[in-house]
Amino acid sequence: MDKIKVSKEVAIALEVALKVTSKRNFFEEHSNKMQWTLEDYLPLNKISNWDMAQILINGYEVEETPEDRMLDFYNYYNGDSDYEKGFRDAVEYTLEQLRHKIKGIND
């Protein structure tokens, strides 16, 4: 069975929650709540009971953001060739023109 993809925020909230309680207790709490109100758990409000059960049983994958994918791609071209330097310069220039900051590239 495929693992459910979750955002980084949801993954962090799950990690925090499961440090202080068991999966069973956490699921009971999640399924009985109308809304999580603790700030650390707010991202969990986006997860249905069905999806949460699957996450707790099968695990999950963290969904990469477009920024994550761009950083991976940017770091792939880390050599000294003119082509690789040109590629990295083009990425930096494009982000500058878009006024978009990505940590590890231009921030």
Side-chain angles (χ1 to χ4, degrees):
M1 178 171 265
D2 290 335
K3 293 181 178 183
I4 291 182
K5 292 186 179 187
V6 299
S7 67
K8 282 184 180 181
E9 294 79 14
V10 168
I12 291 168
L14 283 167
E15 289 174 17
V16 169
L18 294 174
K19 283 182 182 178
V20 297
T21 191
S22 69
K23 288 181 178 182
R24 180 186 183 105
N25 288 340
F26 174 75
F27 182 73
E28 288 174 3
E29 188 77 18
H30 182 77
S31 61
N32 290 329
K33 289 233 181 252
M34 296 299 283
Q35 290 279 329
W36 288 101
T37 55
L38 289 174
E39 188 171 339
D40 289 343
Y41 296 170
L42 290 177
L44 301 175
N45 289 327
K46 302 172 187 174
I47 307 296
S48 70
N49 290 338
W50 176 253
D51 285 347
M52 185 59 74
Q54 291 182 62
I55 287 168
L56 294 172
I57 293 168
N58 301 320
Y60 58 89
E61 293 179 10
V62 179
E63 192 172 62
E64 282 190 315
T65 64
E67 288 83 0
D68 293 332
R69 289 191 299 275
M70 180 57 76
L71 180 59
D72 288 344
F73 199 58
Y74 179 83
N75 287 334
Y76 178 78
Y77 291 97
N78 63 356
D80 292 329
S81 73
D82 288 342
Y83 174 78
E84 290 171 315
K85 288 178 184 175
F87 176 82
R88 291 168 68 94
D89 288 346
V91 168
E92 292 168 10
Y93 178 78
T94 301
L95 291 173
E96 179 184 320
Q97 294 305 307
L98 295 172
R99 293 181 175 86
H100 191 84
K101 299 282 186 187
I102 297 178
K103 188 174 181 177
I105 297 177
N106 63 344
D107 189 35

